[in-house]
Amino acid sequence: MTVHFSCTQCGKCCHDLRLTLSAEEAAVWAGNGHTVQILSEALPVVPGAADADDPGIVRSFAAMSGEMPIRIAATLVAYHDGACPHLLPDMRCGNYAARPRICRIYPLDRLAGVRFDTQAKVCPPEAWEESHPPLIDGARIFDPEAVAVLAAHRDTARREVPLMAALCRKLGIGAAAFAGEGLAVHTPEPAALLDALHELPCGLAAPDGPASWTIVTNRAATFAMLAGAGCDAGIVARDAEYLGSFPDEPGDMSG
Ligand code: SF4
Ligand code: SF4
């Protein structure tokens, strides 16, 4: 079904969102004194799913958790609590010419293979009226400029996977949320992040990562499943360092 869209300039997408950045964009964002975080999730290794075009494989690097081979997807994001530091009082972007690619493609999905869902977007209902120009129909995106920007965003993310593996190791990041349940949030010291981003060349061969990544969850059943499979598993609660999709469970699960 064709989804129609026209931006209402409401500014909601410029509030309280984490904007996916390339390494180059992250260096600029952090260099301007704004907060850059790294989100991480651990994907199980599915036997036989070695397809180079598999979206999960494309965006992740190989690692270990305890005895289990896993894959880690790590993403640089701009974080702002409230309004983006570039948002002007009239809801226009004060960084329009140099805004990150992700700002140019919203509300399209950055990841390939995701079913477009207007309910998952922050745009108001009037942005989706059928009288507006067509935005997307299945996999077809109507605006050629958006197609080009999205392709560049995805291509850059794909090329930077080895860099992300090296960056995590350099910054001592070794915890990831169980994929599909949430995201682990890491907020490196800005100076350390900038140094690492400037130091690490793109195209670096993927390192093994830390000796063992810890897979964190706030669900007892997931923790038991991971621990039973030989993973290094940890229990966490939803907070600034764990964006869980499920509510915390009652009781002390730490034991
Ligand atoms: S850079 Fe501009 S478009 Fe992107 S979130 Fe900030 S204000 Fe909005
Ligand atoms: S939330 Fe949607 S409608 Fe509002 S400014 Fe962002 S893209 Fe436009």
Side-chain angles (χ1 to χ4, degrees):
M1 191 184 78
T2 303
V3 176
H4 296 254
F5 175 75
S6 180
C7 177
T8 66
Q9 308 245 315
C10 69
K12 284 186 186 164
C13 60
C14 304
H15 287 79
D16 301 314
L17 286 186
R18 288 178 165 88
L19 309 172
T20 314
L21 301 175
S22 68
E24 189 178 342
E25 290 170 337
V28 172
W29 201 270
N32 286 335
H34 307 318
T35 303
V36 172
Q37 298 178 324
I38 294 172
L39 308 181
S40 58
E41 56 183 326
L43 290 70
V45 173
V46 180
D51 184 346
D53 291 326
D54 180 276
I57 291 185
V58 162
R59 68 189 183 96
S60 64
F61 54 88
M64 294 293 291
S65 178
E67 303 162 11
M68 285 291 287
I70 57 168
R71 297 193 68 85
I72 297 290
T75 310
L76 286 158
V77 294
Y79 173 63
H80 41 87
D81 185 9
C84 171
H86 293 295
L87 190 62
L88 300 174
D90 63 1
M91 297 297 130
R92 286 183 303 118
C93 176
N95 186 37
Y96 193 76
R99 69 197 190 287
R101 282 195 197 94
I102 195 74
C103 300
R104 299 164 193 256
I105 58 180
Y106 195 85
L108 295 170
D109 293 294
R110 69 182 178 89
L111 297 177
V114 175
R115 192 177 66 81
F116 190 83
D117 179 7
T118 57
Q119 298 299 314
K121 313 299 175 186
V122 296
C123 309
E126 54 269 30
W128 307 110
E129 290 173 1
E130 285 195 12
S131 56
H132 295 324
L135 175 72
I136 187 168
D137 187 345
R140 182 186 173 199
I141 297 166
F142 288 84
D143 178 3
E145 189 180 332
V147 170
V149 176
L150 188 55
H153 185 78
R154 288 175 179 168
D155 184 54
T156 303
R158 185 177 186 140
R159 279 189 289 105
E160 289 185 345
V161 167
L163 173 70
M164 293 308 299
L167 187 63
C168 289
R169 188 158 74 170
K170 176 90 179 165
L171 295 172
I173 292 172
F178 188 57
E181 290 195 354
L183 293 162
V185 182
H186 309 276
T187 309
E189 279 295 315
L193 177 67
L194 262 181
D195 282 352
L197 284 171
H198 288 140
E199 188 182 320
L200 296 171
C202 290
L204 207 67
D208 293 336
S212 180
W213 280 70
T214 300
I215 306 178
V216 296
T217 175
N218 65 342
R219 305 177 89 194
T222 303
F223 176 82
M225 182 269 293
L226 292 169
C231 294
D232 177 6
I235 281 284
V236 291
R238 289 205 300 191
D239 61 12
E241 296 182 353
Y242 181 71
L243 305 176
S245 305
F246 298 93
D248 293 335
E249 295 176 350
D252 179 10
M253 296 186 291
S254 60

